[in-house]
Amino acid sequence: MSKHFLSLILLFIAFWLCSCSVPKNIAYFQNAADIRGMTLQEEQPLRLRPKDKINIVVNTSDPMLFNQFNLTAATRSMRPLGNTESPQMTMGDGGGSSTAQILAYTVDEQGDIYFPVLGKIAVEGKTRQEVAEFLRNRLVERDLIKDPIVTVEYVNLGVNVLGEVNRPGRINIQKDYFTILDAISFAGDLTINGERENVMVMREVDGEDQTFVINLCDRQDMLLSPAYYLQQNDVVYVSPNPKRKREAKSIGNTFSQPAIWMSLASLLTTIYAIFLK
């Protein structure tokens, strides 16, 4: 075997070893410039389901009506309320102030809540704006409050983000349109070892599990995916790339580290230089 042929083999091996440690396809939206003017899918707001919890606040200038139409747990202002995600309101009655902690409504298995005075209200499948508008109209129609301001907020809605992200865990939903990009942003972005072309979204639809795969490198694929707009309790899983999988193996754990590959490449380069002499 000639020195020239041997040197070519060593150079090829060194190049291959170095390239194995470099993740591929790490840039998002690689075709963004090619899809300008693309028709986007209709925005998909969150809609309430059984077991969801919401806060409903009916604002009125009459303190008596406020107490009648709001589920509250009154606590004197000098007492700590502890940790809670429920909104709080301070009211004065001339004899000192008290803090009212707004309690949450839980949507039952039939998709209903029980609202003071109005009774059973069907909320399943409605957005929070639709629930607020429905309650406001009912209060006015029954001449219970002349000009109520009704606000509805989510309490326990969220998604779970797992896998190759910097901050995995459950993320609370605080907005009506929550996308896969929102979830990834709250999770601190993908790690360098996250597989951008294979992000899975697992969702329960009518009692059946469905799995969608999103390619973050392809902006069109991402924007048109049925899972681009997330729903409550979705699970987002970012798969590890091949490099990360090799590092996880007990045998290949040491030899898959970049420092090892760099050392081997340096050694092969030295051998190459010696054979050229």
Side-chain angles (χ1 to χ4, degrees):
M1 181 181 296
S2 65
K3 293 182 179 180
H4 180 69
F5 182 71
L6 180 60
S7 63
L8 289 177
I9 293 177
L10 293 174
L11 279 177
F12 174 78
I13 294 175
F15 175 79
W16 179 80
L17 291 175
C18 291
S19 63
C20 285
S21 64
V22 179
K24 305 296 192 300
N25 296 328
I26 61 173
Y28 300 144
F29 323 138
Q30 295 179 15
N31 63 340
D34 301 329
I35 59 173
R36 294 177 181 174
M38 181 187 73
T39 301
L40 301 179
Q41 64 172 305
E42 184 179 354
E43 291 181 322
Q44 300 176 22
L46 292 170
R47 297 186 178 276
L48 293 173
R49 301 174 179 175
K51 299 182 181 180
D52 287 346
K53 293 184 178 182
I54 53 175
N55 287 129
I56 301 176
V57 178
V58 179
N59 288 293
T60 174
S61 57
D62 189 332
M64 295 297 294
L65 292 177
F66 177 90
N67 293 330
Q68 185 176 4
F69 291 103
N70 291 279
L71 293 181
T72 61
T75 307
R76 300 302 297 180
S77 58
M78 73 270 306
R79 293 176 57 191
L81 290 175
N83 295 327
T84 177
E85 295 182 354
S86 300
Q88 301 166 5
M89 303 183 69
T90 301
M91 301 175 292
D93 56 6
S97 63
S98 63
T99 301
Q101 177 183 336
I102 304 300
L103 302 180
Y105 293 83
T106 300
V107 183
D108 64 21
E109 294 294 337
Q110 289 71 43
D112 303 324
I113 61 171
Y114 286 84
F115 194 77
V117 182
L118 297 181
K120 183 171 69 174
I121 303 295
V123 298
E124 183 178 5
K126 290 185 171 63
T127 67
R128 60 176 177 175
Q129 286 87 357
E130 290 171 346
V131 173
E133 185 65 16
F134 178 84
L135 291 174
R136 191 188 73 82
N137 291 337
R138 289 292 299 274
L139 291 171
V140 172
E141 289 171 0
R142 295 184 56 175
D143 200 25
L144 297 171
I145 305 178
K146 291 184 178 180
D147 53 352
I149 300 176
V150 182
T151 57
V152 179
E153 300 292 340
Y154 303 128
V155 174
N156 68 331
L157 274 61
V159 299
N160 295 297
V161 183
L162 307 173
E164 288 293 333
V165 294
N166 289 299
R167 294 193 299 271
R170 184 169 178 83
I171 297 172
N172 293 329
I173 297 176
Q174 303 291 345
K175 53 191 294 187
D176 298 305
Y177 303 96
F178 197 78
T179 70
I180 184 71
L181 295 180
D182 291 320
I184 290 174
S185 298
F186 280 110
D189 201 1
L190 275 65
T191 67
I192 193 65
N193 293 318
E195 200 168 48
R196 274 81 173 147
E197 298 173 300
N198 187 30
V199 177
M200 291 187 292
V201 177
M202 290 163 278
R203 173 180 300 166
E204 182 178 333
V205 180
D206 297 328
E208 296 183 358
D209 289 331
Q210 294 187 3
T211 300
F212 307 90
V213 177
I214 297 179
N215 181 359
L216 296 180
C217 297
D218 188 330
R219 182 169 172 80
Q220 182 174 7
D221 177 87
M222 178 191 66
L223 292 176
L224 297 180
S225 170
Y228 175 68
Y229 288 99
L230 299 180
Q231 300 178 9
Q232 59 267 52
N233 301 322
D234 279 356
V235 176
V236 179
Y237 176 70
V238 180
S239 302
N241 59 18
K243 171 181 175 293
R244 183 68 183 92
K245 293 177 182 177
R246 290 194 303 270
E247 291 176 353
K249 295 180 180 179
S250 58
I251 297 177
N253 188 42
T254 300
F255 290 99
S256 296
Q257 300 299 324
I260 298 298
W261 293 127
M262 293 178 64
S263 298
L264 290 175
S266 177
L267 175 61
L268 291 174
T269 303
T270 302
I271 296 174
Y272 165 76
I274 292 174
F275 272 95
L276 280 183
K277 292 182 179 179

